[in-house]
Amino acid sequence: MSLAVVILTHNEERHIARAIASVAAIASEIFVVDSFSTDRTVALARAHGATVLQSNFINYARQFQWALDNAPITASWIMRLDADEVIEPDLAARIRSELPQLSPEIVGVSLKRKHIFLGRWIRHGGRYPLVLLRIWRRGHGRIENRWMDEHMIVWGGRTVTFDGGFCDHNLNDLTFFTDKHNRYATREAIDIINQRRRLFSRDVDLTEKSSRQAAIKRWIKERLYNRIPYQISVPAYFLFRMFFQFGFLDGKQGLVYHGLQGLWYRFLVGAKVDELEAAIAHLDDPAAVRAELRRLTGLAIEP
């Protein structure tokens, strides 16, 4: 195996050892790129054999691309793994046996991610499987430059999908979940405003080669969903998830998850877009708009 695994961290002491352990049998190199954690993340990562680099965090896309540009990666393949994700033994075995045998025309591998929430696998509501390109040949991939919903972009060949256990299982509580999604909502609102106003460069390279599922979802979101008033689109989307995509079958935990992620979060994004649009309505100069959005959000918004 010649596989480098790259993990971004900030105060991930609850997850980092588990994530590293899940890829220890398949990774020839493990790089943890930390944004100056104040807990035991760095010590635990080093204790479990990872090489740790540190860089100031602006957003996920820039931090991950910094990792690709600066980590001393020598492996032929690279895997993107979040600190709260796990590669389960069956998928690890498939990667170990099949990745070295892929023909040169294969430049990327997608995985089918499942989500564990409050101890339950969320199987419905359009949440499984989420097909994400997470492994690619070195020199054939980069991450999209976006504030939210960033995907890997690959070139120079085609991709395949591996079946097997790939799990997003965050062990933190609901306060952490809602705080995180509050921050996500601000970032997504910035992307939506930029889609409308073209305030800074916008990455539009996601294609079906990288992820057909993700490309279709983004087309629907940007061409249809974001153009409908959120007071209408959000309840309609929630009902679609709960009934047409059978989210009600996910039980009590599923109701909490779909309610927070599919209703509350989406409504919050729409409300934040309205709030920010009202705050910049009197400004015409793009530089002045970017400056005001930086002041309001604390995000490093650049041309």
Side-chain angles (χ1 to χ4, degrees):
M1 284 294 296
S2 180
L3 174 67
V5 178
V6 179
I7 307 172
L8 304 190
T9 58
H10 178 72
N11 292 343
E12 290 285 0
E13 66 179 8
R14 297 193 71 177
H15 301 114
I16 190 59
R18 185 188 66 177
I20 292 173
S22 77
V23 296
I26 58 173
S28 55
E29 304 167 340
I30 300 175
F31 297 97
V32 168
V33 179
D34 182 74
S35 52
F36 299 96
S37 292
T38 57
D39 64 2
R40 298 185 300 143
T41 298
V42 169
L44 288 169
R46 287 176 174 151
H48 285 80
T51 298
V52 178
L53 298 83
Q54 290 188 300
S55 175
N56 288 314
F57 187 89
I58 297 176
N59 60 35
Y60 190 103
R62 293 192 196 179
Q63 187 81 332
F64 196 85
Q65 191 60 47
W66 184 94
L68 296 182
D69 294 339
N70 291 277
I73 298 171
T74 62
S76 300
W77 293 88
I78 303 173
M79 172 188 283
R80 169 185 169 185
L81 187 71
D82 290 348
D84 59 359
E85 293 175 340
V86 175
I87 301 297
E88 296 178 359
D90 63 328
L91 178 57
R94 180 164 189 184
I95 292 171
R96 184 169 55 249
S97 64
E98 297 189 22
L99 192 66
Q101 309 301 322
L102 292 178
S103 65
E105 67 174 351
I106 305 298
V107 297
V109 179
S110 294
L111 307 178
K112 297 179 178 180
R113 190 177 72 177
K114 61 186 178 183
H115 187 77
I116 307 297
F117 182 79
L118 298 180
R120 180 166 183 150
W121 178 359
I122 304 299
R123 296 172 180 262
H124 305 93
R127 305 308 293 171
Y128 182 79
L130 291 181
V131 181
L132 304 170
L133 193 140
R134 287 302 189 88
I135 303 173
W136 63 95
R137 288 190 190 272
R138 181 162 59 94
H140 288 265
R142 67 171 181 85
I143 195 166
E144 292 181 288
N145 183 22
R146 298 173 64 93
W147 280 98
M148 271 296 296
D149 192 34
E150 60 288 313
H151 291 269
M152 298 307 305
I153 302 296
V154 294
W155 57 84
R158 62 186 183 89
T159 65
V160 296
T161 300
F162 282 0
D163 291 321
F166 171 39
C167 175
D168 176 346
H169 186 185
N170 193 290
L171 301 174
N172 290 302
D173 60 16
L174 285 174
T175 298
F176 178 91
F177 181 92
T178 52
D179 286 347
K180 179 178 72 172
H181 279 76
N182 183 39
R183 296 190 298 271
Y184 285 177
T186 300
R187 296 172 188 171
E188 186 165 348
I190 291 297
D191 270 341
I192 292 171
I193 291 172
N194 186 50
Q195 179 190 350
R196 296 174 177 176
R197 291 174 170 258
R198 302 182 184 276
L199 299 172
F200 50 87
S201 58
R202 179 167 171 264
D203 210 328
V204 293
D205 285 344
L206 180 61
T207 65
E208 292 191 7
K209 180 186 294 184
S210 297
S211 173
R212 182 173 185 271
Q213 183 191 65
I216 292 172
K217 284 184 175 181
R218 180 172 296 170
W219 189 92
I220 292 172
K221 179 185 287 188
E222 294 188 349
R223 300 294 182 90
L224 300 175
Y225 179 90
N226 287 346
R227 298 182 180 186
I228 301 171
Y230 70 93
Q231 298 91 338
I232 298 172
S233 61
V234 171
Y237 172 63
F238 173 69
L239 292 174
F240 178 76
R241 271 175 68 156
M242 288 300 294
F243 296 103
F244 290 93
Q245 294 185 307
F246 306 107
F248 65 91
L249 294 177
D250 288 319
K252 179 176 68 176
Q253 297 92 334
L255 178 60
V256 175
Y257 177 77
H258 296 302
L260 289 176
Q261 203 272 340
L263 181 62
W264 171 77
Y265 171 70
R266 299 253 47 99
F267 206 90
L268 185 61
V269 171
K272 288 198 175 198
V273 170
D274 272 3
E275 180 182 51
L276 293 173
E277 286 280 17
I280 61 177
H282 65 291
L283 300 172
D284 294 320
D285 179 52
V289 173
R290 290 193 297 269
E292 181 65 3
L293 290 176
R294 282 196 298 271
R295 186 187 71 82
L296 291 169
T297 66
L299 300 177
I301 300 169
E302 301 172 354

